[in-house]
Amino acid sequence: MLLLSIGLAGCAGGGDDSGPISFTSDRGVTEQPFPANYRAEILAFMRTYLNNPVGVHDGAIAEPVQRTVGGRLRYVVCLRYSAKDIDGSYRPARERGVLFVDGRLDRIIENSAEPCAGVTYGPFAELGNMSR
């Protein structure tokens, strides 16, 4: 029993490649793949991100652009929308960046002024058609 626990402890110990756990397997490469399903992934994420995903107004999206975020080249998709507040009123329009790593949605950037500077927005009607 003691030998088994020592063997398992050796497997769990950090080696040269120990680092933060990530579901997106960030290889740190500069050649990032284009996020082909970015619209569907963003819609699925926004259903859980927003307190009330129903009735979002003024939905707009920009095409994915490569930007340096955290010292690494990534694809960023910029969103602009006005979501319903808890009391049923609408908040002012917000701008968010959605970061993609290795072609998959990684996280949302709330302070997106720099990564979203100069992008061109187009309508994103699907954002206003979300349900719970």
Side-chain angles (χ1 to χ4, degrees):
M1 205 57 153
L2 180 62
L3 290 176
L4 179 61
S5 62
I6 292 172
L8 289 176
C11 292
D16 293 323
D17 60 344
S18 64
I21 296 173
S22 173
F23 293 108
T24 54
S25 177
D26 182 4
R27 299 166 297 155
V29 297
T30 57
E31 296 177 18
Q32 288 290 308
F34 184 83
N37 296 320
Y38 68 95
R39 291 174 85 96
E41 287 188 46
I42 289 172
L43 282 173
F45 176 78
M46 293 301 283
R47 278 189 190 93
T48 61
Y49 178 73
L50 296 173
N51 288 331
N52 184 359
V54 178
V56 173
H57 284 173
D58 305 321
I61 191 167
E63 292 292 318
V65 293
Q66 286 192 322
R67 299 280 196 246
T68 301
V69 178
R72 295 188 175 189
L73 193 61
R74 300 286 182 245
Y75 273 100
V76 176
V77 176
C78 299
L79 294 176
R80 191 169 43 219
Y81 60 91
S82 180
K84 211 181 268 190
D85 211 345
I86 294 172
D87 64 2
S89 64
Y90 282 90
R91 296 178 179 177
R94 342 176 132 199
E95 186 176 64
R96 298 287 188 253
V98 181
L99 188 70
F100 285 80
V101 176
D102 291 333
R104 296 185 56 193
L105 193 146
D106 183 58
R107 62 187 158 106
I108 196 160
I109 305 169
E110 293 195 12
N111 185 7
S112 61
E114 188 176 322
C116 291
V119 299
T120 303
Y121 286 95
F124 192 28
E126 299 97 306
L127 200 58
N129 298 331
M130 287 190 298
S131 61
R132 288 188 187 251

